[in-house]
Amino acid sequence: MTEPCAAVTHLDQPYTVCSFDAGSDIRLWHTNPEGDLFGQFDTLASQLAGSGQTLIFAMNGGMYHEDRRPVGLYVEDGKQTAPLVTREGPGNFGMLPNGVFWIDEEGQPRVTESLAYQTLAPPARFATQSGPMLVIDGALHPRFNEDGPSRKRRNGVGVSADGKTVYFAISDGSVNFHSFATLFRDQLGTPNALYLDGYVSKLYAPHLGRNETGLNMGPIVGVTVPQKQHDTR
């Protein structure tokens, strides 16, 4: 198995890009069965190990309130715990159009603009809403400026045009929205991509020796494999 994450340089900026086949076991997690926040990658990895799963990749999977509740739509194992938000609002989340990263009932990952998702009203297995959209049907978000002064560490997700590959990317330096979005459009070739978070963005990639800690996170997105499969790699 090829290691999923690699260093990528785009417009002279360093990124880590993690790519997975669409059939990978991509999931979202927020709290454990007792309702306690996972918050940290180690806590989640330990819980999964107890059920025979190995966490091979994770990053924060969307914005959250101060109490770590998801800001917008959140669906985990088919259960919706937070509703879709379609109104404009403050901050990056409310910079419309925003969107939803979701896994359908057949396990296919998708990125869909929020109003289109509302119209579709799909029976999602997993879903997390965030914003803004980075790329929408091949075009950059209309409010992005090439010289935008806001530069932060950022992470996001996109799906290839043929639907066969999911790309998770995190900047290893401070970048603006425009340059981050062009990574997905121009280098990764994703017609739709979604911003997940910034500044607090963290990565879990054990094969790179990265297990980034800090303040507790809200939703976490990641990929698992059965322990036996991982142990025999």
Side-chain angles (χ1 to χ4, degrees), residues 203-223:
L203 174 67
Y204 179 84
H207 60 286
L208 297 180
R210 289 176 67 170
N211 176 18
E212 297 171 358
T213 60
L215 294 175
N216 279 342
M217 295 169 279
I220 297 172
V221 62
V223 176

Side-chain angles (χ1 to χ4, degrees), residues 20 35 42 149 160 166 195 198 214:
F20 297 91
D42 278 347
S160 62
V166 184
Y195 175 69

